Amino acid sequence: MQQREEKQLESALESIIQRVNDLKQSLAAMLFKLDTEYETLNWPKFLDNYALISGQLISLSKVLSHDKCPNLRNLTVLPLMLSPERDEQLIQSTEGRVPTFSHDLVPDYLRTKLEPLAEQKMLQLEHKAQNLQFENAQKQIATYQKVVSHVWDIVIKAREEWEVEASSRGSTQQNSSVADTHLLVAAVGMGKGLKMGANPNGQPNPTSGGMMVAPQGRPGGPPGQSTLPAGSQGMGMNKAPSAIKTNIKSANQMHPYGR
């Protein structure tokens, strides 16, 4: 009977240790992502890691509550040997966290109760809760429920907005027209769609959509007028005329659309 109980204890401890190691690896991976990928880590990935850890905790609780698993509360862990010297086997089994199993560390690692300060704090809180009146307690409970429900509504609304945004990202909205692009290129490159209109002097000018296209020279000026700044024209009035002759052609002869 005793051998059977020992075998059940060994198999249960192996299963518990395996699941605890898996849980420890998941927690370490999640903390590593929070430290290194906090800028690129999004909420769905965080929820996936959290769901993995939650599933591992549920699996561990099922092992602990199984019928074949002995009640660990009835077992006591006692140190076989205490030494202040460095223990390599202990370092390997604890992954370098506990180098020695000395008299100072044993009360902390094999503690079955809370620390004295934490236990005193818990007693103060329990005493405060017992002296609280029933009406005040009901008011505080109602206030907490109101706050929690408000936060819950905010979370649900944010989740719905995220789902709508994620679904809208799947269908890319069209913000350009290929036909309009071809028409614009044809109008600029080959003059397609431009109509001939008359300027104030009676000479034809190409127009597009009711807007007059000015010929070469000063924008909006009469054909054949050279483009010169206003200051330079004013200064040229007081000087003698230049001996250089210019040959300025008409706009309808120079423009490629005047044919």
Side-chain angles (χ1 to χ4, degrees):
M1 184 70 178
Q2 185 177 0
Q3 293 181 352
R4 182 180 179 183
E5 291 179 356
E6 290 180 356
K7 289 183 179 180
Q8 289 181 356
L9 179 61
E10 290 179 358
S11 61
L13 288 177
E14 289 179 358
S15 179
I16 291 171
I17 291 172
Q18 180 181 359
R19 281 162 175 77
V20 169
N21 289 330
D22 294 340
L23 180 61
K24 182 178 65 175
Q25 292 177 0
S26 300
L27 289 173
M30 187 174 182
L31 293 175
F32 179 77
K33 288 183 179 180
L34 290 176
D35 292 337
T36 58
E37 302 178 5
Y38 62 93
E39 295 182 354
T40 59
L41 185 65
N42 52 13
W43 186 247
K45 290 183 180 179
F46 184 83
L47 289 180
D48 292 340
N49 294 330
Y50 187 79
L52 177 61
I53 294 173
S54 179
Q56 290 173 349
L57 286 173
I58 293 174
S59 177
L60 179 61
S61 63
K62 287 182 179 179
V63 172
L64 293 174
S65 61
H66 198 270
D67 297 336
K68 295 183 179 181
C69 180
N71 192 0
L72 300 179
R73 296 177 181 271
N74 299 331
L75 302 177
T76 305
V77 179
L78 297 175
L80 299 178
M81 183 180 63
L82 300 178
S83 175
E85 297 179 358
R86 183 182 178 89
D87 190 354
E88 297 296 334
Q89 185 178 2
L90 182 62
I91 294 174
Q92 184 178 1
S93 60
T94 59
E95 298 180 356
R97 291 189 298 271
V98 184
T100 59
F101 209 58
S102 61
H103 297 77
D104 297 334
L105 298 177
V106 166
D108 294 331
Y109 285 106
L110 301 182
R111 184 186 299 275
T112 57
K113 288 186 177 182
L114 298 174
E115 295 184 358
L117 294 178
E119 188 174 2
Q120 183 180 1
K121 188 69 174 177
M122 289 294 296
L123 291 175
Q124 291 178 359
L125 294 176
E126 290 178 357
H127 181 70
K128 184 178 179 180
Q130 290 176 0
N131 294 333
L132 186 64
Q133 296 181 1
F134 179 77
E135 295 180 357
N136 295 333
Q138 292 296 325
K139 289 181 180 179
Q140 291 183 2
I141 292 173
T143 304
Y144 292 152
Q145 289 179 352
K146 184 177 180 180
V147 172
V148 171
S149 62
H150 180 64
V151 174
W152 179 252
D153 294 337
I154 293 175
V155 172
I156 292 178
K157 185 177 180 181
R159 180 180 179 181
E160 293 177 354
E161 292 178 356
W162 291 339
E163 290 177 353
V164 172
E165 184 179 358
S167 61
S168 63
R169 288 177 182 175
S171 58
T172 305
Q173 297 180 357
Q174 185 178 0
N175 54 6
S176 63
S177 176
V178 179
D180 294 343
T181 303
H182 289 321
L183 289 176
L184 182 60
V185 172
V188 174
M190 296 177 291
K192 186 177 180 181
L194 299 178
K195 299 179 181 180
M196 299 300 296
N199 60 7
N201 296 331
Q203 296 182 357
N205 281 331
T207 60
S208 175
M211 296 179 62
M212 182 176 294
V213 181
Q216 295 180 353
R218 186 166 56 87
Q225 185 176 353
S226 61
T227 305
L228 292 175
S232 63
Q233 292 180 1
M235 293 173 60
M237 295 293 292
N238 299 327
K239 295 182 179 180
S242 176
I244 301 176
K245 297 182 180 181
T246 57
N247 186 12
I248 301 175
K249 297 182 180 181
S250 179
N252 56 359
Q253 296 178 1
M254 293 179 61
H255 208 282
Y257 308 137
R259 295 193 294 268

